[in-house]
Amino acid sequence: MKLKRAELFLSLAVLVLGAAVAMGTAALPAHGGYAGVGPNAAPAAVAAGLILLGIRLLYEALTGGWRNGVPDRAAQRGEHDFHTGAFLWVTAGLFAQILLIQRAGFVVAQTVLFACVARGFGSTRAARDLGVGLALAVAVFLFFVKFLNVSLPPGWLKPILGTAGI
């Protein structure tokens, strides 16, 4: 029998986490008042679940390893390998959105995000992606502003969007 240290460590970590939650739960009041369920009910259920899970994982780790484990390699799981370029394009789009949403406005930020995500998913037609992203961003902007009365930053397009009654 080969004992995997990572499985053993994670099993003990789950067990310790459950014990810590149980100790924290013991400090909460148990009286439920009108509802009959005290503020310690949900944390107690979580603590019990974590402790039971930790015991189960520890048992499996000590008796041959975790059962029904997921293979480490993506190909063995029937998935694609990690694509660094796609990850970087999507991440860049998210950071661009964060930087642009207050300065340039919702529509510009969402358009750039859509184009970056499309590029990350393999699209090579930037002009089309920007156009589709712009159309979707304007539609979402108008839906939120006109129908839901949610204020979104118009940014650089305020002169254009302002003529639409916004």
Side-chain angles (χ1 to χ4, degrees), residues 10 61 79 86 94 114 152:
L10 288 173
E79 300 173 356
L94 289 171
F114 184 88
L152 295 174

Side-chain angles (χ1 to χ4, degrees), residues 104-117:
F106 177 84
V107 172
V108 172
Q110 299 312 311
T111 301
V112 171
L113 174 63
F114 184 88
C116 288
V117 170

Side-chain angles (χ1 to χ4, degrees), residues 59-120:
Y59 169 76
E60 288 187 3
L62 294 174
T63 58
W66 289 352
R67 312 312 188 263
N68 302 321
V70 178
D72 292 335
R73 302 194 64 182
Q76 291 174 330
R77 294 188 306 260
E79 300 173 356
H80 298 286
D81 288 330
F82 181 75
H83 295 279
T84 305
F87 174 76
L88 292 176
W89 272 107
V90 172
T91 302
L94 289 171
F95 279 109
Q97 182 202 25
I98 291 169
L99 294 174
L100 290 173
I101 196 160
Q102 288 300 325
R103 295 179 181 94
F106 177 84
V107 172
V108 172
Q110 299 312 311
T111 301
V112 171
L113 174 63
F114 184 88
C116 288
V117 170
R119 178 68 181 103

Side-chain angles (χ1 to χ4, degrees), residues 19-43:
V21 172
M23 287 191 310
T25 301
L28 296 173
H31 303 293
Y34 179 75
V37 177
N40 67 345

